[in-house]
Amino acid sequence: MPFSLFLRGSIWYLKISEKGHIRWKSTGMTNKVDAQKFLIDFKLQKLKKPTKTPTTIKHSDQCLLSAFAKDCLMWSSSNHTCGSTDLMRWTLKNMIRVLGDIPIASINQLLIDRFKSVRMSEVKPVTVNIELRTLRSAFFQAKRWGLLQEVPISGKNLIKVPSDTVALSENDVEQLINSISDSWLRSLVIMAVHTGLRRNELCRLTWSDFDSVRGLLTIHESKSGKARCIPVSSTVVKMLEQLPKTCEYIFTQDGSHPLKGTWVTHAFKKWCRKLGFSEKVHFHTLRHTCASIMVRNGVSLYHASKVLGHSSVVVTEKYYAHMGVEDLRSAVNVVGSRISTI
């Protein structure tokens, strides 16, 4: 645990580096010699302090899943978006239903596999993977709190699901937009296709997030927890300027409250069924559509990932790299035109 002295204003401070984190402690001294004495005394106190053994905290054996869930949700509400907290609440509730309100310290690979098997019989594999990732995040926090020695979930627990990214064609998008009679949903669909924003990101947009002069949108609450700023097309700027400003939120159904994700999902699905679209088409398909249009028309995966708000370009490449394959055909045909003998 390295220490060093720094003068800040007229007071000497200790800079303490511990487990990758830096904190500052005032010595209360204005004289460097006195500050150095303070540093020596501080080091001696640390040396006398008994170190913790790397074992699970004693009370963890009695900490039930329900008690852990309460603390974990309180922590999540302060560090994650509302959607992520709701997902964690639902997932922990399912775990308690399937496994019972057991001590968290008793959770092992066998119980995780049991939970996975039960949920596989109830929901789709993609949903099971989402819940497993959510539990892994919660259990990492449990380990940090000393309630678990090891996190019982790893990437090996996830179900292998073939990538089946569905995207609409430009003609499908135009047909959809022209068919929707609900003005709020029509505007939302246009925005989703042009920006690639997630459903919840769209529902939470406020007028203060929109800079009409520079044509920029600021997304404060994203899936990654990081804010980002993206430019929008002139079409979107024009559409937003025509929307009524009845409350702080850009998109509303009643003019005074933000949209609920479930409203959007059901309303969108209704119009897709009317048009005879595949059942695989959901509101999230509009995000895939935005990405596929960008990639197919030469936008780099790096720039596409920045617009979409992916944590890494690797995520973008995983889902959308194949969509630009046909654009490479002209490149390989050059070789074919030069060497035609087989």
Side-chain angles (χ1 to χ4, degrees):
M1 186 186 295
F3 306 95
S4 49
L5 284 170
F6 283 88
L7 183 65
R8 300 174 69 177
S10 60
I11 304 295
W12 286 92
Y13 280 77
L14 285 182
K15 181 183 179 183
I16 306 167
S17 300
E18 186 174 12
K19 295 180 180 179
H21 298 283
I22 295 175
R23 61 187 181 93
W24 296 86
K25 181 176 178 63
S26 172
T27 66
M29 308 296 179
T30 56
N31 184 281
K32 186 174 182 180
V33 175
D34 294 334
Q36 287 172 335
K37 291 179 181 178
F38 182 95
L39 172 59
I40 293 170
D41 291 339
F42 187 80
K43 284 183 178 180
L44 289 173
Q45 289 175 4
K46 285 291 182 181
L47 289 173
K48 292 178 182 177
K49 191 174 181 180
T51 57
K52 293 181 180 179
T53 56
T55 57
T56 307
I57 296 175
K58 187 176 180 181
H59 74 271
S60 66
D61 293 338
Q62 289 77 42
C63 180
L64 300 178
L65 270 176
S66 57
F68 166 70
K70 184 178 179 181
D71 290 334
C72 192
L73 291 173
M74 188 180 299
W75 164 78
S76 180
S77 63
S78 303
N79 294 275
H80 297 150
T81 62
C82 295
S84 296
T85 301
D86 288 341
L87 177 59
M88 187 167 289
R89 179 181 292 106
W90 173 253
T91 303
L92 289 170
K93 183 179 178 181
N94 278 327
M95 170 161 267
I96 294 171
R97 174 179 61 83
V98 173
L99 300 180
D101 195 9
I102 59 176
I104 187 172
S106 68
I107 296 176
N108 53 26
Q109 187 66 60
L110 172 63
L111 293 178
I112 293 299
D113 287 342
R114 185 178 299 169
F115 170 80
K116 176 180 169 183
S117 298
V118 173
R119 292 300 286 153
M120 279 287 289
S121 67
E122 298 174 338
V123 293
K124 295 178 181 178
V126 173
T127 304
V128 178
N129 282 344
I130 291 172
E131 291 187 351
L132 289 173
R133 291 190 188 99
T134 303
L135 286 174
R136 183 168 58 181
S137 174
F139 289 155
F140 268 117
Q141 191 62 21
K143 182 181 178 181
R144 195 171 76 85
W145 288 340
L147 301 176
L148 284 175
Q149 287 185 324
E150 297 296 335
V151 176
I153 300 178
S154 67
K156 294 179 180 179
N157 294 107
L158 299 180
I159 304 161
K160 290 185 178 180
V161 180
S163 178
D164 190 18
T165 305
V166 178
L168 298 175
S169 67
E170 285 87 338
N171 289 335
D172 287 338
V173 173
E174 290 180 3
Q175 182 185 5
L176 178 63
I177 291 173
N178 292 331
S179 300
I180 297 175
S181 58
D182 301 320
S183 59
W184 66 271
L185 182 60
R186 185 174 184 273
S187 300
L188 199 69
V189 169
I190 293 173
M191 188 75 160
V193 172
H194 280 262
T195 62
L197 291 180
R198 300 176 179 91
R199 184 192 65 182
N200 289 341
E201 291 173 344
L202 289 164
C203 292
R204 296 192 193 105
L205 278 178
T206 64
W207 287 110
S208 60
D209 298 330
F210 173 51
D211 185 341
S212 59
V213 177
R214 295 190 296 167
L216 295 175
L217 272 178
T218 302
I219 296 87
H220 296 285
E221 290 189 33
S222 63
K223 184 179 178 180
S224 64
K226 298 179 181 179
R228 72 183 190 278
C229 186
I230 62 169
V232 292
S233 65
S234 56
T235 301
V236 171
V237 172
K238 183 178 178 180
M239 181 197 72
L240 290 177
E241 288 178 340
Q242 293 175 348
L243 292 180
K245 296 182 180 180
T246 56
C247 69
E248 63 174 314
Y249 293 98
I250 294 179
F251 299 106
T252 68
Q253 190 179 36
D254 57 5
S256 58
H257 297 93
L259 290 171
K260 291 184 178 180
T262 51
W263 294 351
V264 174
T265 297
H266 293 312
F268 179 79
K269 197 66 179 177
K270 180 187 73 174
W271 285 103
C272 288
R273 284 170 177 157
K274 280 186 177 181
L275 293 171
F277 288 172
S278 167
E279 282 297 311
K280 292 183 178 181
V281 175
H282 303 281
F283 190 83
H284 199 75
T285 303
L286 299 177
R287 177 171 165 84
H288 295 320
T289 301
C290 172
S292 67
I293 291 174
M294 285 192 290
V295 174
R296 287 203 310 267
N297 287 276
V299 176
S300 70
L301 290 175
Y302 173 79
H303 287 116
S305 72
K306 292 299 180 183
V307 172
L308 297 170
H310 284 155
S311 56
S312 167
V313 70
V314 176
V315 179
T316 316
E317 187 173 17
K318 176 182 177 182
Y319 291 105
Y320 305 114
H322 68 281
M323 293 181 176
V325 170
E326 284 302 313
D327 299 329
L328 303 177
R329 194 169 300 281
S330 59
V332 297
N333 282 342
V334 171
V335 180
S337 65
R338 295 284 182 176
I339 305 174
S340 56
T341 302
I342 298 178

